[in-house]
Amino acid sequence: MILIIEDDRNINNLLCGILKQSGYEVQSVFNGWDGYELALQHEYSLILMDLMLPFKSGEEILRELRVRKNTPVIVLSAKNAVYNRIEVLRLGADDFICKPFDIDEVMLRIEAVLRRTKGAQSALAFKDMRLDKDSKRVFVCGREVSCTAMEYAILETMLSNPNKIFSKRNLFESVTGDEYLSDENTMNVHISNLRKKIGRFTEEAYIETVYGMGYRLAN
Protein backbone atom coordinates (compact mmCIF):
# COMPACT_ATOMS: atom_id res chain seq x y z
CA MET A 1 0.00 0.00 0.00
CA ILE A 2 1.11 3.56 -0.78
CA LEU A 3 0.58 6.43 1.67
CA ILE A 4 0.01 9.94 0.29
CA ILE A 5 0.64 12.89 2.64
CA GLU A 6 -0.49 15.98 0.74
CA ASP A 7 -2.59 18.92 1.98
CA ASP A 8 -3.59 20.12 -1.51
CA ARG A 9 -6.82 18.18 -2.06
CA ASN A 10 -6.68 18.41 -5.85
CA ILE A 11 -3.17 16.94 -5.97
CA ASN A 12 -4.03 14.36 -3.31
CA ASN A 13 -7.13 13.22 -5.22
CA LEU A 14 -5.24 13.16 -8.53
CA LEU A 15 -2.49 10.95 -7.14
CA CYS A 16 -5.00 8.66 -5.43
CA GLY A 17 -6.99 8.23 -8.61
CA ILE A 18 -4.03 7.48 -10.87
CA LEU A 19 -2.47 5.04 -8.41
CA LYS A 20 -5.74 3.17 -7.88
CA GLN A 21 -6.26 2.92 -11.64
CA SER A 22 -2.81 1.34 -11.84
CA GLY A 23 -3.77 -1.31 -9.28
CA TYR A 24 -2.10 0.13 -6.20
CA GLU A 25 -3.78 0.23 -2.82
CA VAL A 26 -3.70 3.79 -1.53
CA GLN A 27 -4.30 5.61 1.74
CA SER A 28 -4.17 9.39 1.93
CA VAL A 29 -4.15 12.11 4.58
CA PHE A 30 -4.02 15.91 4.42
CA ASN A 31 -1.68 16.92 7.23
CA GLY A 32 1.75 15.97 8.49
CA TRP A 33 0.75 14.77 11.93
CA ASP A 34 -1.77 12.20 10.67
CA GLY A 35 0.70 11.10 8.01
CA TYR A 36 3.47 10.59 10.53
CA GLU A 37 1.22 8.59 12.85
CA LEU A 38 0.11 6.30 10.01
CA ALA A 39 3.68 5.88 8.78
CA LEU A 40 4.67 4.59 12.20
CA GLN A 41 1.64 2.33 12.65
CA HIS A 42 1.65 0.57 9.27
CA GLU A 43 4.07 -1.01 6.80
CA TYR A 44 3.78 0.88 3.52
CA SER A 45 5.53 0.03 0.28
CA LEU A 46 6.05 3.74 -0.39
CA ILE A 47 5.19 7.19 0.97
CA LEU A 48 4.51 10.17 -1.34
CA MET A 49 4.85 13.36 0.67
CA ASP A 50 4.79 17.13 0.37
CA LEU A 51 7.15 19.22 2.51
CA MET A 52 4.92 22.16 3.42
CA LEU A 53 2.31 20.36 5.52
CA PRO A 54 0.03 21.49 8.36
CA PHE A 55 0.99 20.53 11.93
CA LYS A 56 4.19 18.66 10.99
CA SER A 57 6.48 19.44 8.06
CA GLY A 58 7.80 16.90 5.61
CA GLU A 59 11.32 17.52 6.85
CA GLU A 60 10.26 16.73 10.41
CA ILE A 61 8.49 13.58 9.29
CA LEU A 62 11.55 12.38 7.40
CA ARG A 63 13.95 13.17 10.22
CA GLU A 64 11.87 11.35 12.84
CA LEU A 65 10.71 8.50 10.61
CA ARG A 66 14.26 7.55 9.63
CA VAL A 67 15.13 6.94 13.28
CA ARG A 68 12.58 4.12 13.37
CA LYS A 69 11.82 2.95 9.81
CA ASN A 70 13.26 2.64 6.32
CA THR A 71 9.99 3.03 4.40
CA PRO A 72 10.78 4.43 0.91
CA VAL A 73 9.78 8.10 0.57
CA ILE A 74 9.34 10.26 -2.52
CA VAL A 75 9.02 13.97 -1.82
CA LEU A 76 6.78 16.13 -4.06
CA SER A 77 7.45 19.80 -3.38
CA ALA A 78 7.44 23.30 -4.82
CA LYS A 79 10.54 24.00 -2.69
CA ASN A 80 12.77 23.13 -5.61
CA ALA A 81 15.97 24.99 -4.82
CA VAL A 82 19.12 22.88 -5.00
CA TYR A 83 19.58 23.32 -1.23
CA ASN A 84 16.11 21.94 -0.54
CA ARG A 85 16.62 18.90 -2.77
CA ILE A 86 20.00 18.07 -1.27
CA GLU A 87 18.76 18.56 2.30
CA VAL A 88 15.74 16.31 1.73
CA LEU A 89 17.89 13.57 0.23
CA ARG A 90 20.30 13.84 3.16
CA LEU A 91 17.37 13.41 5.53
CA GLY A 92 16.62 10.08 3.89
CA ALA A 93 14.23 10.69 0.98
CA ASP A 94 14.59 8.22 -1.89
CA ASP A 95 13.65 10.75 -4.58
CA PHE A 96 12.59 14.38 -5.01
CA ILE A 97 10.07 15.58 -7.61
CA CYS A 98 9.48 19.30 -8.18
CA LYS A 99 5.99 20.77 -8.41
CA PRO A 100 4.31 21.30 -10.77
CA PHE A 101 4.97 17.76 -11.97
CA ASP A 102 4.09 15.55 -14.90
CA ILE A 103 1.98 12.61 -13.70
CA ASP A 104 3.69 10.19 -16.10
CA GLU A 105 7.05 11.15 -14.61
CA VAL A 106 5.68 10.62 -11.12
CA MET A 107 4.49 7.12 -12.04
CA LEU A 108 7.87 6.27 -13.56
CA ARG A 109 9.67 7.52 -10.44
CA ILE A 110 7.34 5.48 -8.23
CA GLU A 111 8.01 2.33 -10.25
CA ALA A 112 11.76 2.99 -10.15
CA VAL A 113 11.81 3.38 -6.37
CA LEU A 114 9.64 0.30 -5.88
CA ARG A 115 11.98 -1.75 -8.07
CA ARG A 116 14.82 -0.86 -5.70
CA THR A 117 12.89 -1.91 -2.63
CA LYS A 118 11.20 -4.93 -1.17
CA GLY A 119 7.82 -3.63 -2.29
CA ALA A 120 8.85 -4.03 -5.92
CA GLN A 121 9.87 -7.64 -5.38
CA SER A 122 6.48 -8.40 -3.88
CA ALA A 123 4.50 -7.03 -6.83
CA LEU A 124 4.16 -8.00 -10.47
CA ALA A 125 2.54 -5.96 -13.23
CA PHE A 126 1.44 -6.51 -16.83
CA LYS A 127 -0.58 -3.99 -18.85
CA ASP A 128 -3.31 -2.84 -16.41
CA MET A 129 -2.94 -5.90 -14.19
CA ARG A 130 -1.12 -5.75 -10.86
CA LEU A 131 -0.45 -8.80 -8.70
CA ASP A 132 0.49 -8.35 -5.04
CA LYS A 133 2.49 -11.36 -3.89
CA ASP A 134 2.27 -10.45 -0.20
CA SER A 135 -1.52 -10.22 -0.01
CA LYS A 136 -2.12 -12.73 -2.85
CA ARG A 137 -4.46 -10.28 -4.57
CA VAL A 138 -4.88 -9.42 -8.25
CA PHE A 139 -6.12 -6.11 -9.67
CA VAL A 140 -7.12 -5.23 -13.23
CA CYS A 141 -7.75 -1.57 -14.07
CA GLY A 142 -7.68 -0.87 -10.34
CA ARG A 143 -10.44 -3.40 -9.51
CA GLU A 144 -9.82 -6.64 -7.66
CA VAL A 145 -10.18 -9.96 -9.50
CA SER A 146 -11.52 -12.73 -7.27
CA CYS A 147 -9.16 -15.65 -7.92
CA THR A 148 -8.99 -19.18 -6.60
CA ALA A 149 -5.61 -20.31 -5.25
CA MET A 150 -4.93 -22.16 -8.50
CA GLU A 151 -5.89 -19.19 -10.67
CA TYR A 152 -3.69 -16.88 -8.62
CA ALA A 153 -0.76 -19.29 -8.93
CA ILE A 154 -1.20 -19.44 -12.71
CA LEU A 155 -1.13 -15.65 -13.00
CA GLU A 156 1.88 -15.32 -10.69
CA THR A 157 3.79 -17.90 -12.72
CA MET A 158 2.95 -16.26 -16.04
CA LEU A 159 3.63 -12.69 -14.87
CA SER A 160 6.99 -13.84 -13.48
CA ASN A 161 7.87 -15.09 -16.98
CA PRO A 162 6.12 -12.61 -19.29
CA ASN A 163 7.77 -13.76 -22.55
CA LYS A 164 7.54 -17.50 -22.00
CA ILE A 165 5.15 -19.87 -23.75
CA PHE A 166 3.87 -22.44 -21.25
CA SER A 167 2.76 -25.86 -22.39
CA LYS A 168 -0.11 -27.29 -20.36
CA ARG A 169 2.33 -29.71 -18.75
CA ASN A 170 4.89 -27.02 -17.95
CA LEU A 171 2.30 -24.64 -16.51
CA PHE A 172 0.60 -27.33 -14.42
CA GLU A 173 3.86 -28.66 -12.98
CA SER A 174 5.24 -25.14 -12.35
CA VAL A 175 2.12 -24.16 -10.44
CA THR A 176 1.41 -27.34 -8.48
CA GLY A 177 4.75 -29.11 -8.26
CA ASP A 178 2.92 -32.32 -9.15
CA GLU A 179 3.38 -34.57 -12.13
CA TYR A 180 1.19 -33.74 -15.11
CA LEU A 181 -1.11 -36.65 -15.96
CA SER A 182 -2.30 -35.47 -19.39
CA ASP A 183 -5.57 -34.10 -18.08
CA GLU A 184 -6.06 -31.60 -20.89
CA ASN A 185 -9.30 -30.24 -19.48
CA THR A 186 -7.88 -29.13 -16.11
CA MET A 187 -5.73 -26.27 -17.39
CA ASN A 188 -8.28 -25.36 -20.07
CA VAL A 189 -10.91 -24.79 -17.40
CA HIS A 190 -8.62 -22.69 -15.19
CA ILE A 191 -7.50 -20.52 -18.12
CA SER A 192 -11.09 -20.12 -19.33
CA ASN A 193 -12.22 -19.02 -15.88
CA LEU A 194 -9.36 -16.51 -15.61
CA ARG A 195 -10.23 -15.00 -19.00
CA LYS A 196 -13.85 -14.57 -17.94
CA LYS A 197 -12.93 -12.96 -14.64
CA ILE A 198 -10.42 -10.56 -16.23
CA GLY A 199 -12.95 -9.84 -18.99
CA ARG A 200 -15.35 -8.34 -16.45
CA PHE A 201 -13.03 -5.34 -16.13
CA THR A 202 -11.43 -4.98 -19.56
CA GLU A 203 -11.94 -6.03 -23.17
CA GLU A 204 -8.20 -6.38 -23.68
CA ALA A 205 -6.82 -9.93 -23.87
CA TYR A 206 -4.35 -10.97 -21.19
CA ILE A 207 -3.81 -14.68 -21.85
CA GLU A 208 -3.54 -16.02 -25.38
CA THR A 209 -3.43 -19.55 -26.73
CA VAL A 210 -0.46 -20.44 -28.93
CA TYR A 211 -1.90 -23.31 -30.89
CA GLY A 212 0.06 -26.52 -30.63
CA MET A 213 2.28 -25.01 -27.92
CA GLY A 214 0.27 -23.72 -24.95
CA TYR A 215 -0.35 -20.31 -23.32
CA ARG A 216 1.42 -17.00 -22.88
CA LEU A 217 0.65 -13.44 -21.87
CA ALA A 218 -1.02 -11.58 -24.74
CA ASN A 219 1.07 -8.68 -26.04
Side-chain angles (χ1 to χ4, degrees):
M1 181 179 287
I2 294 175
L3 174 63
I4 298 172
I5 312 174
E6 169 62 68
D7 63 318
D8 185 311
R9 291 186 176 271
N10 290 329
I11 294 176
N12 196 314
N13 292 337
L14 171 65
L15 291 170
C16 282
I18 295 295
L19 286 166
K20 287 178 180 177
Q21 287 176 16
S22 300
Y24 294 97
E25 292 184 85
V26 182
Q27 189 170 11
S28 70
V29 293
F30 300 93
N31 68 74
W33 179 253
D34 287 344
Y36 178 65
E37 289 293 300
L38 286 174
L40 291 183
Q41 293 167 13
H42 303 284
E43 296 299 327
Y44 294 99
S45 299
L46 177 69
I47 296 173
L48 293 178
M49 182 176 67
D50 193 6
L51 291 179
M52 294 180 285
L53 294 165
F55 308 133
K56 198 175 187 70
S57 72
E59 290 95 339
E60 290 176 309
I61 293 173
L62 263 176
R63 188 178 297 110
E64 295 174 31
L65 184 65
R66 282 294 173 256
V67 175
R68 303 174 65 175
K69 286 195 169 187
N70 292 315
T71 308
V73 175
I74 296 178
V75 167
L76 304 164
S77 179
K79 296 170 67 174
N80 58 8
V82 173
Y83 165 79
N84 295 123
R85 295 199 299 271
I86 293 174
E87 182 64 19
V88 165
L89 294 172
R90 282 177 175 165
L91 286 173
D94 294 84
D95 203 350
F96 186 106
I97 301 174
C98 298
K99 293 180 179 178
F101 53 75
D102 179 89
I103 194 64
D104 290 330
E105 179 186 0
V106 172
M107 293 305 296
L108 287 173
R109 298 281 195 96
I110 288 171
E111 291 166 4
V113 169
L114 289 175
R115 278 197 298 270
R116 299 197 299 265
T117 65
K118 181 177 181 295
Q121 298 168 1
S122 65
L124 297 169
F126 176 71
K127 294 184 179 179
D128 290 320
M129 177 182 288
R130 178 176 172 82
L131 182 149
D132 189 313
K133 294 167 70 175
D134 288 338
S135 64
K136 306 296 183 186
R137 300 169 74 188
V138 178
F139 300 87
V140 172
C141 299
R143 301 176 67 184
E144 186 169 3
V145 180
S146 178
C147 295
T148 65
M150 183 69 168
E151 291 163 358
Y152 172 86
I154 290 171
L155 287 177
E156 181 177 342
T157 299
M158 296 187 78
L159 266 66
S160 296
N161 302 273
N163 299 313
K164 181 175 179 177
I165 298 175
F166 289 89
S167 67
K168 292 184 178 70
R169 173 188 292 275
N170 184 209
L171 187 55
F172 181 86
E173 292 181 350
S174 296
V175 167
T176 67
D178 296 330
E179 183 181 357
Y180 184 69
L181 300 175
S182 299
D183 182 1
E184 291 282 324
N185 194 50
T186 299
M187 292 309 299
N188 290 344
V189 170
H190 289 307
I191 294 295
S192 176
N193 288 341
L194 274 172
R195 284 171 170 160
K196 290 176 183 176
K197 290 180 178 182
I198 294 169
R200 294 172 187 166
F201 306 120
T202 179
E203 295 181 357
E204 188 168 8
Y206 275 75
I207 301 174
E208 67 178 356
T209 300
V210 182
Y211 291 101
M213 300 179 71
Y215 303 106
R216 69 180 172 193
L217 295 179
N219 295 319

